[in-house]
Amino acid sequence: MSRPVRVRFAPSPTGHLHVGSARTALFNWLFARHEGGAFVLRIEDTDLARSTVESERAVLDDLAWLGLAWDEGPDVGGAYGPYRQSERLEIYREHAERLLAEGKTFRCYCTDEELEEKRRLALTDGRIPQYDGACRGLSAAAEAALSSEGRRPTVRAHRPTRDVAVDDLVRGRVEFAREMLGDFIILRSDGRPTYNFAVVVDDALMEISHVVRAEEHLPNTMRQLLLYEALGLEPPSFAHVSLIVDKDRSKLSKRRGASSVAEFREQGFLSEALLNYLALLGWSHPDAKEIMSRDELVRAFDLARVSSSPAAFDEDKLAWINAHHIREEPIGRVAELARPYFEAEGVCEPDGERFEAIVDLVREGLERLSEIPYAAGFFFTDDPEVEDDARPWLESETGEAVLKGLLSTLEAEEGVLDQASVKRALKAVGEELGARGKDLYMPVRAALTGRIHGPSLALVAALLGRDRVLARLSRAAARR
Ligand code: GLU
């Protein structure tokens, strides 16, 4: 029963792409790429009040930014289109008509008020509210009479006559008792399909082989399996992926920091890093490898290694993975990604090579690209601000002597100031003054950068260049 692998990601365009949805998209994409199958993007926009074109655009942009290219979708087309549910209403109607004609569904003329009243009564009697089958088996004449009252019917599928079960690829066998479900609506009175009906018609017609989606959709699977049966169509395999929770095990919420792909992008997470981290939320490499490229993920991904326990979102770990990718990506790419953060601060370094060298120097200690204007800030100002903890090093007597000594040593040197000449000069000054370690380096670091932490001093000095180094040393030496 092996069919070609076709999976889909089916977002509802009602906001930004949340990391949980991005993880669902990623698992589908990895599975498709690993199996050489197709990754389909379908927009579930039948909720007209909440779906927006802007959100669809944002979701597509975020997926593209993550590098999760789709083979079929609303913008690229494909043989199974249209790929927006709002453009498939006629298809749902036809299938509903067929089910009606075959007696597998029926029209229900109950009004919302009537249903609400019955629901209230059931609750008062301590019964689980369920549709009571009032319109099941209506004669044509009765239907005509109700219709002439101006009632517009919904279409309902018959409740199950036996229990339903699914062998979920992540959760194992899941059983649904027949009592859980009454006759359920597949078409609303305005002719729009319910989520469960639209999904089944689409997944079937789009020949989706595997439905990989969030655990919260598991209860829908019962209705969906019944609809496959009614339609006489073969259901796909199902894989329900666990929830993503906060570190304290509560549902990942918007209140606690970033939760959308766009927010992480703005904070300077690389798409490789976010992708790498999301893959580890519920899946693990057989050798427990944690840092992986896109290609390695595709090679290693396997639904059999997706866990059925909730995955805890740990932003520290994401930052650790991001730091790794910031260090390892080609420097040209990192510099390019870092540029907008400088531009936003009004800092623009026109010299490409020097800019790259600066980014390369400071990227070592970064967890987010948004930290880079601060990390490299002292390169782009004539008079770096001296931070509080750096001040004592400039104000001490030894500090002043070191700065003056270094200034005169460097002034006496001919030619360009490079790493070697800086090291030579520092050594000479240290020997002359009997200053070593922090006593020697800290005043110089404080003078050149205004800080007590940072990358290699000789590299910093070489990148600042002779003029800036001399100006900073003399200004700092004169401070006391
Ligand atoms: N549109 C649904 C959602 O955004 C996805 C449905 C599904 O994957 O079956 O949650």
Side-chain angles (χ1 to χ4, degrees), residues 8 10-12 42 44 195 199 203 211-213 216-217 224:
R8 76 331 188 253
S12 307
R42 183 172 75 225
E44 306 213 321
Y195 154 73
V199 162
D203 285 344
V211 166
V212 181
R213 64 183 171 197
E216 61 199 7
H217 286 294
Q224 295 181 11

